[in-house]
Amino acid sequence: MNDTSDLPPAEFHRMTGDGRRVAYRRQEGRGPTLVFLPGYMSDMRGSKATALWRWAAEQGRACLLLDYSGCGESGGTFASGTLTRWSEEVQELVSVLAPGPLVLIGSSMGGWLMLLVAEALGARVTGLVGIAAAPDFTGWGYDAAEQGRLAAGHTVHQHNPYGPEPTPTHPAFWQDAQALRLLHRPVAITAPVRLIHGQRDADVPWEISLRLAEKLRSDDIQVTLVKDGDHRLSRAQDIALLLQVIAALPAGD
């Protein structure tokens, strides 16, 4: 179990419009600000997020962690969550809390979200790091029958290897995400991109990172394959690799 006893209490931002409460943790330091985007049904207490937080504190780096609405310590219901909604939350939080340059670090679904946010924010994003990034998983991650049920407005439950309850996909999330797929077109990101993927990932095929690298406009792309790595890449050596990759990113302007 990941020990989070050393984390400070979460703070909360009320979103413009409906006022939903989005939980976050922020620490001051040198930029660009490191922003961690968790995966599907994950939150900022995960092992990679907390390792990043501690490393950033040791290095004097600015860092922002957050929970999407309906996840972790944030308000709202998970069934209301969509990529569009969560992208809006990330963009508003970085506008208010981290107005300078950014490095986005996205895990699994957070890797898809990181790409959408980076396209929206443009030159503010000076680097991206994807950990088993999963763009377009609402297409390749579901069979025809499941996609048919989702298109008809039904929730689909899939086996969850990480807990006792099956993983739900709600039709609003699926329909929104299907309209935001990226891999059929050039992805308008020119910042340095680092992609880390385990070749024993049972959830996101490692070939997805290679497809993504082909679609990104950036010429500064490195893909690191971890032959014995699983989807989570949360072992000590995996986290050490992640921090090494982040530390080696170009400083930007």
Side-chain angles (χ1 to χ4, degrees), residues 199-218:
Q199 289 189 279
R200 294 180 183 170
D201 188 333
D203 299 306
V204 181
W206 57 266
E207 291 88 353
I208 293 294
S209 283
L210 300 183
R211 288 178 59 192
L212 174 58
E214 291 178 353
K215 295 296 183 180
L216 287 159
R217 286 184 182 165
S218 174

Side-chain angles (χ1 to χ4, degrees), residues 74-96:
S74 289
T77 61
F78 185 74
S80 299
T82 64
L83 286 177
T84 295
R85 182 179 178 91
W86 293 338
S87 176
E88 291 169 352
E89 293 167 4
V90 174
Q91 291 182 59
E92 185 163 317
L93 259 68
V94 298
S95 175
V96 173

Side-chain angles (χ1 to χ4, degrees), residues 169-189:
T169 301
H170 298 288
F173 175 89
W174 184 82
Q175 290 164 6
D176 175 80
Q178 284 289 86
L180 297 174
R181 287 175 292 175
L182 297 170
L183 295 178
H184 63 287
R185 62 170 176 83
V187 180
I189 293 170

Side-chain angles (χ1 to χ4, degrees), residues 32 34 65 74 99 104 120 141 149 153 162 173 215 233-234 239 242 250-251:
L34 306 172
L65 308 181
S74 289
L104 304 179
R149 286 183 53 78
Y162 310 111
F173 175 89
K215 295 296 183 180
L233 289 176
S234 292
I239 290 175
L242 170 64

